[in-house]
mmCIF file of all heavy atoms in Angstrom:
data_model
loop_
_atom_site.group_PDB
_atom_site.id
_atom_site.type_symbol
_atom_site.label_atom_id
_atom_site.label_comp_id
_atom_site.label_asym_id
_atom_site.label_seq_id
_atom_site.Cartn_x
_atom_site.Cartn_y
_atom_site.Cartn_z
ATOM 1 N N MET A 1189 89.937 102.756 132.295
ATOM 2 C CA MET A 1189 90.482 103.148 130.994
ATOM 3 C C MET A 1189 91.959 103.419 131.171
ATOM 4 O O MET A 1189 92.763 103.054 130.315
ATOM 5 C CB MET A 1189 89.762 104.343 130.427
ATOM 6 C CG MET A 1189 90.272 104.897 129.110
ATOM 7 S SD MET A 1189 90.332 103.663 127.810
ATOM 8 C CE MET A 1189 88.577 103.562 127.459
ATOM 9 N N LYS A 1190 92.366 104.085 132.255
ATOM 10 C CA LYS A 1190 93.766 104.402 132.457
ATOM 11 C C LYS A 1190 94.601 103.118 132.487
ATOM 12 O O LYS A 1190 95.679 103.039 131.915
ATOM 13 C CB LYS A 1190 93.992 105.268 133.668
ATOM 14 C CG LYS A 1190 93.332 106.654 133.646
ATOM 15 C CD LYS A 1190 93.676 107.451 134.813
ATOM 16 C CE LYS A 1190 93.008 108.801 134.822
ATOM 17 N NZ LYS A 1190 91.520 108.788 134.856
ATOM 18 N N LEU A 1191 94.132 102.107 133.183
ATOM 19 C CA LEU A 1191 94.874 100.817 133.324
ATOM 20 C C LEU A 1191 94.969 100.159 131.909
ATOM 21 O O LEU A 1191 95.947 99.592 131.549
ATOM 22 C CB LEU A 1191 94.161 99.941 134.273
ATOM 23 C CG LEU A 1191 94.853 98.614 134.580
ATOM 24 C CD1 LEU A 1191 96.303 98.856 135.101
ATOM 25 C CD2 LEU A 1191 94.099 97.746 135.612
ATOM 26 N N LEU A 1192 93.846 100.229 131.167
ATOM 27 C CA LEU A 1192 93.837 99.654 129.813
ATOM 28 C C LEU A 1192 94.840 100.322 128.919
ATOM 29 O O LEU A 1192 95.607 99.712 128.217
ATOM 30 C CB LEU A 1192 92.411 99.728 129.199
ATOM 31 C CG LEU A 1192 92.314 99.300 127.718
ATOM 32 C CD1 LEU A 1192 92.754 97.853 127.556
ATOM 33 C CD2 LEU A 1192 90.942 99.505 127.160
ATOM 34 N N LEU A 1193 94.867 101.689 129.008
ATOM 35 C CA LEU A 1193 95.818 102.453 128.116
ATOM 36 C C LEU A 1193 97.247 102.124 128.510
ATOM 37 O O LEU A 1193 98.158 102.093 127.684
ATOM 38 C CB LEU A 1193 95.477 103.955 128.272
ATOM 39 C CG LEU A 1193 94.148 104.403 127.707
ATOM 40 C CD1 LEU A 1193 93.974 105.897 127.898
ATOM 41 C CD2 LEU A 1193 94.073 104.113 126.175
ATOM 42 N N MET A 1194 97.539 101.972 129.883
ATOM 43 C CA MET A 1194 98.841 101.617 130.275
ATOM 44 C C MET A 1194 99.258 100.233 129.746
ATOM 45 O O MET A 1194 100.414 100.047 129.356
ATOM 46 C CB MET A 1194 98.892 101.668 131.768
ATOM 47 C CG MET A 1194 100.304 101.402 132.366
ATOM 48 S SD MET A 1194 101.571 102.605 131.724
ATOM 49 C CE MET A 1194 100.951 104.123 132.429
ATOM 50 N N ALA A 1195 98.338 99.312 129.752
ATOM 51 C CA ALA A 1195 98.640 97.987 129.188
ATOM 52 C C ALA A 1195 98.966 98.059 127.698
ATOM 53 O O ALA A 1195 99.911 97.416 127.225
ATOM 54 C CB ALA A 1195 97.438 97.050 129.452
ATOM 55 N N ILE A 1196 98.157 98.810 127.005
ATOM 56 C CA ILE A 1196 98.408 99.001 125.580
ATOM 57 C C ILE A 1196 99.744 99.700 125.290
ATOM 58 O O ILE A 1196 100.511 99.283 124.403
ATOM 59 C CB ILE A 1196 97.279 99.815 124.885
ATOM 60 C CG1 ILE A 1196 95.920 99.074 125.016
ATOM 61 C CG2 ILE A 1196 97.519 100.090 123.418
ATOM 62 C CD1 ILE A 1196 94.702 99.899 124.614
ATOM 63 N N LEU A 1197 99.986 100.737 126.070
ATOM 64 C CA LEU A 1197 101.240 101.525 125.868
ATOM 65 C C LEU A 1197 102.464 100.731 126.074
ATOM 66 O O LEU A 1197 103.450 100.912 125.439
ATOM 67 C CB LEU A 1197 101.247 102.707 126.892
ATOM 68 C CG LEU A 1197 102.302 103.737 126.755
ATOM 69 C CD1 LEU A 1197 102.260 104.467 125.486
ATOM 70 C CD2 LEU A 1197 102.309 104.688 127.990
ATOM 71 N N THR A 1198 102.450 99.715 126.952
ATOM 72 C CA THR A 1198 103.627 98.938 127.304
ATOM 73 C C THR A 1198 103.677 97.607 126.656
ATOM 74 O O THR A 1198 104.600 96.811 126.855
ATOM 75 C CB THR A 1198 103.762 98.790 128.834
ATOM 76 O OG1 THR A 1198 102.518 98.168 129.313
ATOM 77 C CG2 THR A 1198 104.012 100.097 129.525
ATOM 78 N N SER A 1199 102.655 97.251 125.818
ATOM 79 C CA SER A 1199 102.525 95.913 125.273
ATOM 80 C C SER A 1199 103.619 95.514 124.278
ATOM 81 O O SER A 1199 103.916 94.333 124.067
ATOM 82 C CB SER A 1199 101.182 95.737 124.622
ATOM 83 O OG SER A 1199 101.034 96.619 123.522
ATOM 84 N N MET A 1200 104.263 96.577 123.645
ATOM 85 C CA MET A 1200 105.208 96.251 122.555
ATOM 86 C C MET A 1200 106.674 96.269 123.021
ATOM 87 O O MET A 1200 107.595 95.941 122.251
ATOM 88 C CB MET A 1200 105.061 97.254 121.441
ATOM 89 C CG MET A 1200 103.752 97.109 120.635
ATOM 90 S SD MET A 1200 103.685 95.538 119.745
ATOM 91 C CE MET A 1200 104.958 95.734 118.590
ATOM 92 N N ILE A 1201 106.896 96.605 124.331
ATOM 93 C CA ILE A 1201 108.289 96.729 124.819
ATOM 94 C C ILE A 1201 109.026 95.405 124.623
ATOM 95 O O ILE A 1201 110.150 95.393 124.167
ATOM 96 C CB ILE A 1201 108.340 97.247 126.275
ATOM 97 C CG1 ILE A 1201 107.737 98.628 126.343
ATOM 98 C CG2 ILE A 1201 109.729 97.215 126.751
ATOM 99 C CD1 ILE A 1201 107.672 99.147 127.800
ATOM 100 N N GLY A 1202 108.389 94.312 125.068
ATOM 101 C CA GLY A 1202 109.096 93.044 124.967
ATOM 102 C C GLY A 1202 109.369 92.574 123.577
ATOM 103 O O GLY A 1202 110.199 91.656 123.379
ATOM 104 N N LEU A 1203 108.748 93.122 122.554
ATOM 105 C CA LEU A 1203 108.940 92.769 121.137
ATOM 106 C C LEU A 1203 109.810 93.695 120.390
ATOM 107 O O LEU A 1203 109.997 93.511 119.197
ATOM 108 C CB LEU A 1203 107.538 92.661 120.504
ATOM 109 C CG LEU A 1203 106.535 91.721 121.171
ATOM 110 C CD1 LEU A 1203 105.189 91.902 120.519
ATOM 111 C CD2 LEU A 1203 106.978 90.254 121.113
ATOM 112 N N SER A 1204 110.234 94.769 121.050
ATOM 113 C CA SER A 1204 110.885 95.928 120.302
ATOM 114 C C SER A 1204 112.189 95.506 119.633
ATOM 115 O O SER A 1204 112.433 95.820 118.458
ATOM 116 C CB SER A 1204 111.140 97.088 121.269
ATOM 117 O OG SER A 1204 109.937 97.623 121.783
ATOM 118 N N THR A 1205 113.071 94.831 120.308
ATOM 119 C CA THR A 1205 114.348 94.454 119.744
ATOM 120 C C THR A 1205 114.244 93.543 118.516
ATOM 121 O O THR A 1205 114.854 93.799 117.464
ATOM 122 C CB THR A 1205 115.230 93.769 120.811
ATOM 123 O OG1 THR A 1205 115.476 94.688 121.890
ATOM 124 C CG2 THR A 1205 116.582 93.406 120.180
#
Side-chain angles (χ1 to χ4, degrees):
M1189 179 57 73
K1190 294 183 181 65
L1191 185 59
L1192 173 61
L1193 293 178
M1194 183 57 66
I1196 297 170
L1197 184 66
T1198 55
S1199 62
M1200 291 296 294
I1201 296 178
L1203 305 169
S1204 296
T1205 299

